[in-house]
Amino acid sequence: MDRLDNTIRPYAWGSTTAIPQLLGIEPSGEPQAEMWMGAHPGAPSRTGRGTLVEVIEADPERELGGPAVARFGPRLPFLLKILAAGAPLSLQVHPDLEQAKEGYEDEERRKIPVDAPYRNYKDANHKPELICALTEFDGLCGFRDPSEAADLLDGLGVDTLKPYVDLLHAHPEDAALREVLTAVLTADPDEMTRTVAAATAACTHLGGAYAPYADIAHHYPGDPGVIAAMLLNHVRLQPGEALFLGAGIPHAYLNGLGVEIMANSDNVLRCGLTPKHVDVPELLRIVRFEPSDPGVLRPEAAPDGEEVYETPIDEFRLSRYVLPEAAGPHDLTRATPQILLCTAGSVRAGEYELTPGQSVFVPAGEKAQVSGAGTLFRATVIV
């Protein structure tokens, strides 16, 4: 196995303290948003044999195993991250596999540069993702029942929101949600700025269920995404709880530290809370306009102390081991590639002693024994 040296991405929304605190180092004062573990070309992990991209490209069958290469191609199909949100991320949605292929091929035909700020599809892959909380973690996930969203907006007492309230009481529900999100994102910018300002003042005054939206508005004053966010379920995860975000589900992470795993893709369509490009027609094609329960996941017990976060896709499988004091060796050898990440305590993986934030890559079939007292996350694939 290989110890990983991982890149930390300094996105503006990142916490200045959460990742340094996990790693046991002094904060730099700059935001530290995500630590990437994997073979994403944008920031591949480094090993003693070169970057993980180079290691896999040199011998995909050896590193990934024949079944994984046959199923997903000669690349690691997932990206593992530690994510530290100090401010809300953009409100966003991801395409399914067919939509991603269609969108990518269309933009390639139109010769839109892959780094163009108005390009939607950087690759032809989908991007399901799972976030598991290490601390209390706030997020938005999926549409509320339209009548609940109507009550929330109506409670603000803002006259210019009344048309949205009326639309949300209409039927069918999917059409009502589509009409309101379309109206919010295509409204006159000056009028929407005034509406958001009035809604922000009301949220700040009312507190309670409105407090998360007051905080969002503090970070994104005047952004129509503040109103769009109120159409979604607010979720607070406790440590160990997780959310799965499938295709078409609008979502945003607001605050907290977590372990995130996703299919290896950059495809994001934004709905707001961002200065970046918002392609409203394409967004409306991708979003699933249906009320949904956020579906908080808790790990399910598996043999040998493994706790698995079950999801409906195969590009990744996330589980964890909470190892008690002086735990004997656990054999984690598997016929698929793995990344092992320590988040608490001290865990020995093969020849490496892992402390919080440290990780290793285990090639397919490579012997992997772990021991110690701590928490270890295991990322792999299903073939």
Side-chain angles (χ1 to χ4, degrees):
M1 64 179 69
D2 299 275
R3 184 186 288 276
L4 298 180
D5 179 15
N6 304 305
T7 297
I8 295 176
R9 311 305 295 261
Y11 305 137
W13 49 262
S15 167
T16 58
T17 58
I19 288 179
Q21 185 174 353
L22 179 73
L23 298 176
I25 61 176
E26 285 296 315
S28 67
E30 299 297 316
Q32 299 189 357
E34 296 179 346
M35 185 167 74
W36 288 20
M37 291 157 279
H40 191 287
S45 297
R46 297 168 294 278
T47 77
R49 298 186 285 157
T51 70
L52 198 51
V53 169
E54 294 166 342
V55 168
I56 291 171
E57 285 180 344
D59 195 344
E61 294 270 343
R62 178 183 181 278
E63 303 298 333
L64 305 178
V69 172
R71 179 75 188 278
F72 304 111
R75 63 186 184 87
L76 190 66
F78 65 83
L79 177 63
L80 185 67
K81 299 179 180 180
I82 292 175
L83 183 147
L89 282 67
S90 62
L91 194 59
Q92 59 189 258
V93 69
H94 307 301
D96 64 25
L97 191 55
E98 183 179 348
Q99 291 165 338
K101 288 177 178 176
E102 290 176 354
Y104 180 76
E105 289 170 2
D106 173 64
E107 292 186 328
E108 286 289 281
R109 277 194 304 270
R110 291 191 283 138
K111 301 187 185 307
I112 299 176
V114 73
D115 58 352
Y118 54 90
R119 178 153 179 160
N120 296 313
Y121 298 95
K122 303 297 198 312
D123 52 70
N125 199 17
H126 63 164
K127 193 186 177 187
E129 59 191 44
L130 177 79
I131 183 78
C132 177
L134 294 178
T135 64
E136 272 199 350
F137 194 97
D138 282 84
L140 305 173
C141 178
F143 286 109
R144 298 174 181 269
D145 183 281
S147 62
E148 294 178 7
D151 291 343
L152 195 69
L153 291 176
D154 198 32
L156 294 173
V158 176
D159 287 343
T160 48
L161 291 176
K162 299 291 187 187
Y164 304 147
V165 172
D166 294 339
L167 284 171
L168 288 166
H169 284 304
H171 292 281
E173 291 182 337
D174 58 345
L177 290 168
R178 176 183 288 273
E179 283 194 49
V180 172
L181 185 61
T182 303
V184 168
L185 296 180
T186 58
D188 176 80
D190 291 335
E191 181 178 329
M192 179 53 66
T193 298
R194 290 191 292 271
T195 296
V196 173
T200 300
C203 286
T204 303
H205 173 71
L206 292 167
Y210 293 97
Y213 307 101
D215 184 63
I216 291 170
H218 168 73
H219 290 283
Y220 298 97
D223 193 304
V226 174
I227 306 302
M230 298 182 75
L231 304 176
L232 307 185
N233 297 295
H234 173 249
V235 186
R236 175 164 291 171
L237 300 177
Q238 297 303 313
E241 294 181 335
L243 284 176
F244 173 72
L245 292 315
I249 304 299
H251 61 278
Y253 302 145
L254 304 181
N255 187 272
L257 181 71
V259 173
E260 184 183 35
I261 189 168
M262 62 187 62
N264 205 344
S265 171
D266 277 337
N267 289 326
V268 176
L269 288 124
R270 295 174 177 83
C271 318
L273 310 183
T274 178
K276 295 182 179 179
H277 177 59
V278 176
D279 185 335
V280 175
E282 186 65 10
L283 173 70
L284 297 176
R285 188 178 78 88
I286 299 302
V287 171
R288 294 183 180 176
F289 289 97
E290 52 191 36
S292 61
D293 186 289
V296 173
L297 295 177
R298 295 171 181 84
E300 298 183 12
D304 195 31
E306 187 179 26
E307 300 175 335
V308 182
Y309 293 91
E310 297 287 355
T311 66
I313 51 93
D314 296 339
E315 280 89 344
F316 60 75
R317 176 185 184 272
L318 185 70
S319 62
R320 70 173 184 176
Y321 288 82
V322 180
L323 302 174
E325 188 70 36
H330 289 255
D331 186 2
L332 272 57
T333 305
R334 192 177 172 94
T336 50
Q338 305 179 72
I339 292 178
L340 306 179
L341 165 68
C342 177
T343 59
S346 178
V347 177
R348 175 165 286 278
E351 63 183 285
Y352 299 111
E353 195 74 28
L354 303 182
T355 56
Q358 295 183 335
S359 56
V360 293
F361 172 72
V362 186
E366 190 86 6
K367 185 175 181 180
Q369 282 202 329
V370 302
S371 60
T375 300
L376 188 77
F377 279 84
R378 178 198 217 184
T380 186
V381 300
I382 299 174
V383 295

